[in-house]
Amino acid sequence: ETGVTQTPRHLVMGMTNKKSLKCEQHLGHNAMYWYKQSAKKPLELMFVYNFKEQTENNSVPSRFSPECPNSSHLFLHLHTLQPEDSALYLCASSHGTGKTYEQYFGPGTRLTVT
Amino acid sequence: GEDVEQSLFLSVREGDSSVINCTYTDSSSTYLYWYKQEPGAGLQLLTYIFSNMDMKQDQRLTVLLNKKDKHLSLRIADTQTGDSAIYFCAESKRDSSYKLIFGSGTRLLVRP
């Protein structure tokens, strides 16, 4: 138990659906991250939020829309996804950014797009 | 090519030492990390090393850094079945705000 929870753990959605992934951290951290983990590819950073402000968008398609209402919660809103978006989506948090702050990862949401 | 490269698979017998290797391309990397991912779980930071260090030891884990060859290794002594997991090497640099750049991961299988 790392103090970072993600829901749902598994999600199957059609290409026309709209769904959201949720991440919550109970560690008092100020920075939160979304990563995409695809089979046989390196972990890809998608978004970074620091003190609720987005500080990084790693050229992510607009069909992925992040939201960070406060430092403890992070959402990833999904709409009109493609089958190649099927992956494990990992959330992480850390005390801050800009130094070697340890990132604590959640267990991930396994997303399948049909 | 990839910024960080790792071999995909390693199999060892329980009680032996495991050595997982990683190469990186950017000599300005400031920190280098090893993360562990167990099935159904997120990534867990095992250890990290600053780029001006050659070696770091933490209980059963030894990290060796060869800056000249841009080679990083993780040695696990007395490998146990609970060490079976995917191990990720990652780097970060000051000039990219210390974003983590991960390798593809090495799957370690420990045989009884």
Side-chain angles (χ1 to χ4, degrees):
Chain A
E1 190 66 42
T2 63
V4 181
T5 58
Q6 292 188 241
T7 54
R9 294 293 308 274
H10 299 270
L11 177 63
V12 180
M13 60 185 289
M15 289 191 284
T16 58
N17 291 159
K18 288 185 180 181
K19 296 286 185 183
S20 295
L21 310 184
K22 179 182 176 182
C23 175
E24 183 173 1
Q25 56 95 0
H26 310 273
L27 302 168
H29 289 167
N30 298 307
M32 296 188 77
Y33 310 75
W34 280 118
Y35 287 89
K36 176 182 179 183
Q37 186 177 23
S38 306
K40 299 179 183 176
K41 286 181 67 176
L43 207 65
E44 300 171 76
L45 178 66
M46 299 175 72
F47 301 104
V48 181
Y49 278 82
N50 197 25
F51 290 96
K52 302 188 297 178
E53 298 296 319
Q54 188 181 124
T55 59
E56 184 86 27
N57 177 338
N58 205 22
S59 303
V60 180
S62 59
R63 57 186 184 269
F64 295 91
S65 174
E67 178 190 2
C68 188
N70 54 62
S71 293
S72 299
H73 293 86
L74 184 65
F75 295 90
L76 188 63
H77 303 300
L78 315 171
H79 64 99
T80 59
L81 295 191
Q82 305 298 311
E84 60 264 28
D85 296 322
S86 298
L88 181 68
Y89 288 85
L90 291 166
C91 173
S93 71
S94 64
H95 280 292
T97 63
K99 285 180 63 176
T100 183
Y101 293 111
E102 178 175 352
Q103 293 184 27
Y104 291 78
F105 283 80
T109 295
R110 173 71 62 187
L111 174 67
T112 303
V113 181
T114 60
Chain B
E2 297 286 348
D3 291 304
V4 180
E5 291 193 354
Q6 302 177 238
S7 53
L8 291 179
F9 186 74
L10 176 66
S11 177
V12 300
R13 196 181 302 276
E14 188 175 17
D16 288 349
S17 293
S18 307
V19 179
I20 302 171
N21 295 301
C22 170
T23 57
Y24 60 98
T25 56
D26 195 329
S27 58
S28 67
S29 293
T30 309
Y31 294 95
L32 294 131
Y33 307 80
W34 284 105
Y35 279 82
K36 177 184 180 183
Q37 185 178 33
E38 297 185 36
L43 276 68
Q44 174 196 359
L45 179 65
L46 288 177
T47 186
Y48 68 91
I49 190 168
F50 189 48
S51 57
N52 68 353
M53 299 169 63
D54 298 323
M55 187 184 88
K56 182 177 181 180
Q57 187 154 3
D58 183 1
Q59 299 181 358
R60 291 191 298 123
L61 304 180
T62 302
V63 178
L64 294 177
L65 176 60
N66 181 328
K67 281 197 74 174
K68 174 175 170 289
D69 296 336
K70 300 188 187 69
H71 182 265
L72 182 75
S73 67
L74 174 69
R75 179 177 180 269
I76 306 173
D78 186 25
T79 313
Q80 303 298 304
T81 54
D83 294 323
S84 292
I86 302 175
Y87 291 80
F88 291 91
C89 172
E91 63 174 357
S92 69
K93 304 185 280 278
R94 185 189 304 124
D95 57 4
S96 60
S97 300
Y98 296 101
K99 282 190 304 184
L100 292 174
I101 307 297
F102 287 88
S104 298
T106 299
R107 183 178 295 275
L108 174 65
L109 175 66
V110 182
R111 310 184 306 274

